[in-house]
Amino acid sequence: LDLLEKRPNGVFCLLADELSIPQGSDAGFLAKCHKTHTSHSNYEKPRSANEAIFTIKHYAQSVTYNVTDFLDKNRNKIDEYMNQSLAKCSNPVAAKLFEVQPAKETKDSKSRSVVSTHSVAVSVNFSTSLTSLIQIISATNSHFVRCVKPNEVKSADIFDDDLVVRQLKNNGIMDAVRVRQQGYTRRLPHSTFVHSYTPL
């Protein structure tokens, strides 16, 4: 997560910075990523300098990202006429989602009012949502249901052994089974254990 979103040099932060400058480009973003994260154990540069890609080693597996049109895809701009139409539609949910926000006015160095038309990048929205999710999980006692896909073609009666085993390993289920086999089915805090079993 630090590689992706830690300020000021996470990948999302570098992308937001590149989007904020007029001369920002895909090549500029890629160069900054290479310069900043080459030494990171979970970041890989391509073998050829001509390849517009970088690879991040996620928990499940490594993913290679192609930066071609990366900035355009992350600008998150919606056609103004479409935005206005959706904001006026009869569906209250859609109208709320596309509600026109009042433009923000700021003062530049010469005390002139400047209307901000900056739109929030897709990566910034994702980073904000991820941070919010982590805060919620940290504040609650969460229980997870792990779903395993039997195949990639979404058809009945097809069981892909390699796919299922890979999911079991990546989701930590195999490790959980080993812990259960050793008899450590639950790990209670000492205070909880004493409170529950002192009467016995």
Side-chain angles (χ1 to χ4, degrees):
L1 288 179
D2 286 349
L3 172 60
L4 292 175
E5 65 170 10
K6 187 175 181 179
R7 296 181 180 277
N9 294 321
V11 172
F12 291 155
C13 298
L14 295 178
L15 179 57
D17 289 343
E18 195 68 15
L19 284 166
S20 67
I21 58 177
Q23 296 81 18
S25 65
D26 298 327
F29 164 66
L30 184 62
K32 289 178 180 177
C33 286
H34 288 344
K35 181 179 179 180
T36 307
H37 299 299
T38 297
S39 60
H40 198 288
S41 59
N42 291 324
Y43 183 91
E44 288 184 1
K45 290 175 58 176
R47 294 182 178 180
S48 172
N50 296 325
E51 293 183 281
I53 61 174
F54 65 90
T55 300
I56 292 181
K57 298 177 183 177
H58 296 283
Y59 176 77
Q61 62 185 19
S62 297
V63 178
T64 298
Y65 299 90
N66 190 319
V67 302
T68 303
D69 297 328
F70 226 55
L71 267 63
D72 285 338
K73 293 174 182 177
N74 276 275
R75 285 197 170 94
N76 196 25
K77 289 187 176 179
I78 301 176
D79 183 82
E80 188 62 28
Y81 293 108
M82 182 184 296
N83 201 22
Q84 292 176 3
S85 298
L86 289 169
K88 296 176 181 178
C89 75
S90 57
N91 186 302
V93 176
K96 183 66 177 177
L97 286 173
F98 294 92
E99 185 178 15
V100 179
Q101 300 295 330
K104 296 180 180 179
E105 289 193 1
T106 57
K107 298 289 184 178
D108 65 6
S109 58
K110 296 182 180 180
S111 299
R112 293 176 300 180
S113 294
V114 178
V115 178
S116 173
T117 58
H118 176 68
S119 60
V120 180
V122 173
S123 59
V124 175
N125 283 330
F126 176 79
S127 181
T128 302
S129 298
L130 181 60
T131 301
S132 176
L133 176 61
I134 292 174
Q135 290 174 345
I136 292 172
I137 292 175
S138 300
T140 58
N141 186 14
S142 303
H143 299 273
F144 298 93
V145 176
R146 288 182 169 89
C147 300
V148 178
K149 293 171 58 178
N151 59 71
E152 293 282 11
V153 294
K154 301 179 181 179
S155 297
D157 302 322
I158 299 176
F159 195 85
D160 186 332
D161 294 352
D162 293 336
L163 174 65
V164 171
V165 170
R166 188 164 66 249
Q167 291 176 83
L168 293 176
K169 289 180 177 179
N170 292 338
N171 288 336
I173 295 176
M174 302 299 288
D175 293 330
V177 170
R178 292 189 189 97
V179 171
R180 299 298 189 271
Q181 286 177 334
Q182 294 174 10
Y184 303 104
T185 56
R186 294 187 66 190
R187 293 186 178 183
L188 294 175
H190 182 265
S191 58
T192 303
F193 179 83
V194 171
H195 177 76
S196 299
Y197 298 104
T198 295
L200 299 178

